[in-house]
Amino acid sequence: MTLVMGVLNVTPDSFSDGGRWASTESAVRHALQLRDEGADLIDVGGESTRPGATRVAAEVEQDRVLPVIAELKRHGIRTSVDTLNAQTAERAVAAGADIINDVSGGLADPAMAAVVARAGVPYIAMHWRAHAGTMDTLSTYDDVVATVVAELTERVTALQAAGVRRDQIILDPGLGFSKDAEQNWRVFARLDAFAPLGLPVMVGASRKRFLAGVLPADAAVLERDLPTAVLSVLAAQAGAWAVRVHDVAGTRTALNVLARVDSARIGS
Ligand code: PMM
């Protein structure tokens, strides 16, 4: 069964929900709501990765995420920490985070692989080419699917060389990162191309810009939740380990429909 990871951005500037959960108290309240709506995991991030976003200091990031992770641990909620910073990752695990989610797959901070190896927790390695300021200029591929698979394979090799166990690694194709709309659709359509690596795959399509293409031109960002939920079903059918979404209720309902249809098929 595909897991639902609820997004909790504790940032003033994330592109779709920035600023709404900026205090520890309101962030925890929102996480509890996502849990009640059916999230299996909460992804806690303190630095926006949206195109053009500016970097924040590690201390600021840690001040945002560590108290939230500790409090969610107290509530028995499983969390991942969404960070590029090895020190933040290490401190987050010490505070109770169960998973490290690094959108750079270890490229942004040379100390990350050693931290992951030491921590021994699952590690989400996303396909990434550059920080938010420049990532949109780096979307040239001969064959986007083959190249993303190859670049993630390189990350797996490097992580293992640094002492990370292969069975700690979860792959993420990095929808919206250094990819134009067509390339995002293409990568999503070919999730099967990651199967030969034999590792779990997570998909983060939620509210991303490429979804605007299936909506009326004047559609608001929140209207991307319906296409997101549909993609959650398609990702589940493709065998995804987890989907990372803002609208947990919508994706949970959509996955419930899929589970119901699957069980009716088995029962027939
Ligand atoms: N996308 C965002 C942030 N973190 N992590 C993973 N593993 N995969 C993603 O696709 C991903 C991520 C950007 O989205 P947001 O600004 O809405 O959080």
Side-chain angles (χ1 to χ4, degrees):
M1 187 66 174
T2 302
L3 300 176
V4 179
M5 174 186 279
V7 178
L8 187 65
N9 285 318
V10 195
T11 57
D13 63 348
S14 201
F15 88 100
S16 70
D17 58 359
R20 294 181 60 198
W21 325 116
S23 79
T24 300
E25 196 196 346
S26 63
V28 169
R29 213 176 319 117
H30 183 57
L32 293 174
Q33 187 193 333
L34 295 179
R35 190 262 319 264
D36 293 345
E37 289 173 357
D40 300 295
L41 279 167
I42 301 293
D43 189 43
V44 185
E47 180 181 24
S48 173
T49 53
R50 100 190 129 80
T54 48
R55 303 294 317 274
V56 302
E59 304 78 64
V60 174
E61 182 189 34
Q62 291 166 24
D63 283 348
R64 290 173 180 171
V65 300
L66 299 182
V68 175
I69 288 167
E71 187 61 12
L72 295 183
K73 174 89 179 165
R74 223 176 51 74
H75 284 276
I77 295 176
R78 290 185 75 206
T79 57
S80 50
V81 59
D82 187 349
T83 187
L84 299 160
N85 184 282
Q87 187 193 63
T88 301
E90 190 156 45
R91 292 186 176 172
V93 171
D98 300 279
I99 296 173
I100 297 168
N101 174 24
D102 175 3
V103 300
S104 82
L107 284 173
D109 187 338
M112 184 63 93
V115 164
V116 174
R118 221 171 20 248
V121 298
Y123 174 68
I124 300 165
M126 199 191 81
H127 177 256
W128 182 91
R129 286 184 159 182
H131 287 290
T134 47
M135 67 175 175
D136 281 351
T137 64
L138 293 168
S139 58
T140 304
Y141 301 85
D142 276 339
D143 174 338
V144 68
V145 176
T147 305
V148 169
V149 170
E151 289 179 5
L152 275 179
T153 304
E154 273 174 41
R155 296 313 310 146
V156 171
T157 304
L159 289 161
Q160 285 190 268
V164 176
R165 294 189 327 274
R166 192 176 176 88
D167 68 6
Q168 277 177 263
I169 303 172
I170 295 153
L171 303 176
D172 184 325
L175 298 177
F177 289 79
S178 294
K179 293 168 198 75
D180 65 24
E182 188 56 36
Q183 291 161 344
N184 286 308
W185 288 111
R186 178 105 193 111
V187 169
F188 186 90
R190 290 296 322 282
L191 291 177
D192 62 294
F194 297 86
L197 284 162
L199 296 172
V201 174
M202 188 176 94
V203 178
S206 188
R207 295 184 183 169
K208 287 186 178 166
R209 250 181 319 172
F210 73 100
L211 300 177
V214 297
L215 291 165
D218 59 350
V221 170
L222 292 186
E223 293 179 61
R224 299 177 191 169
D225 284 340
L226 178 56
T228 297
V230 174
L231 287 186
S232 293
V233 169
L234 296 173
Q237 285 186 317
W241 167 78
V243 288
R244 178 184 181 277
V245 297
H246 302 84
D247 172 28
V248 167
T251 272
R252 175 51 67 200
T253 302
L255 291 181
N256 286 346
V257 172
L258 177 62
R260 199 62 196 77
V261 171
D262 282 346
S263 73
R265 187 178 299 116
I266 291 162
S268 68

